[in-house]
Amino acid sequence: MSNHINGTDKCKLYRFEKNNYFYGKLMTVRDFETEQSYFDEKRHLVNRLLHGSGLVCGFEDLKMELKGNKILIDFIDGGVALDCCGREIVVPANTLGKDVISSSGSTVSTLPDGSFLYLKYKPCYEGYVAAASNPSSCEERCCPGRLLKTLR
């Protein structure tokens, strides 16, 4: 794959890898992942270098409340933002009860004056489907069939 994002390699520039199709080519999971990765990474590069990070639209109607020992935020109108890597974060309208967390990952109960809130990209797997665990076995296991891109 072209741009595997992990650890400190986030947002660095890489060469793009693209499939070369020919008649009779056996397509594997890696080929399909490469195909998706190629177009995703091109779009993220354009977003990052031409548009930068921040709010694109929406996020005008937010409500914050203290419940127990944590602050929850409700996105009434939703919106779209770009993270520092150019990935889109789409928050649907009426997304309710999202935890406000610190940069260390723990929930917070107070916000000091002058605090800023940031959205953080988080991919989530869903739609689990049965899949053969390995090619030489009939045993099945569940694997995620979809990747939902959301905020943390």
Side-chain angles (χ1 to χ4, degrees):
M1 278 183 254
S2 39
N3 245 9
H4 235 337
I5 294 177
N6 56 8
T8 58
D9 291 340
K10 280 185 180 178
C11 306
K12 288 187 178 178
L13 296 175
Y14 296 87
R15 293 180 304 154
F16 291 97
E17 181 181 323
K18 188 175 180 181
N19 277 317
N20 181 36
Y21 297 104
F22 54 88
Y23 183 76
K25 179 178 181 177
L26 176 63
M27 298 293 290
T28 65
V29 170
R30 183 180 184 275
D31 294 312
F32 290 109
E33 288 174 344
T34 297
E35 187 72 9
Q36 288 186 350
S37 177
Y38 175 80
F39 289 105
D40 284 346
E41 291 164 10
K42 286 278 192 161
R43 189 181 72 251
H44 296 161
L45 180 68
V46 168
N47 285 345
R48 186 171 81 235
L49 298 180
L50 295 182
H51 305 299
S53 62
L55 301 180
V56 175
C57 67
F59 301 112
E60 293 179 17
D61 191 6
L62 305 172
K63 290 194 172 105
M64 295 175 61
E65 63 179 321
L66 182 62
K67 269 206 176 157
N69 61 346
K70 59 185 177 179
I71 298 174
L72 299 177
I73 189 166
D74 296 336
F75 297 94
I76 306 304
D77 63 343
V80 177
L82 296 175
D83 75 358
C84 64
C85 294
R87 297 174 296 202
E88 303 88 357
I89 301 172
V90 178
V91 181
N94 295 315
T95 299
L96 308 174
K98 287 291 189 179
D99 290 345
V100 175
I101 59 172
S102 68
S103 57
S104 65
S106 59
T107 58
V108 295
S109 58
T110 60
L111 290 175
D113 288 340
S115 295
F116 291 93
L117 295 176
Y118 299 91
L119 298 177
K120 186 172 181 180
Y121 173 86
K122 178 185 177 189
C124 299
Y125 290 103
E126 65 174 28
Y128 282 79
V129 295
S133 59
N134 66 50
S136 63
S137 169
C138 292
E139 178 184 335
E140 288 187 353
R141 66 179 180 153
C142 288
C143 296
R146 302 275 182 270
L147 176 63
L148 176 65
K149 297 181 178 186
T150 185
L151 72 148
R152 184 167 195 272

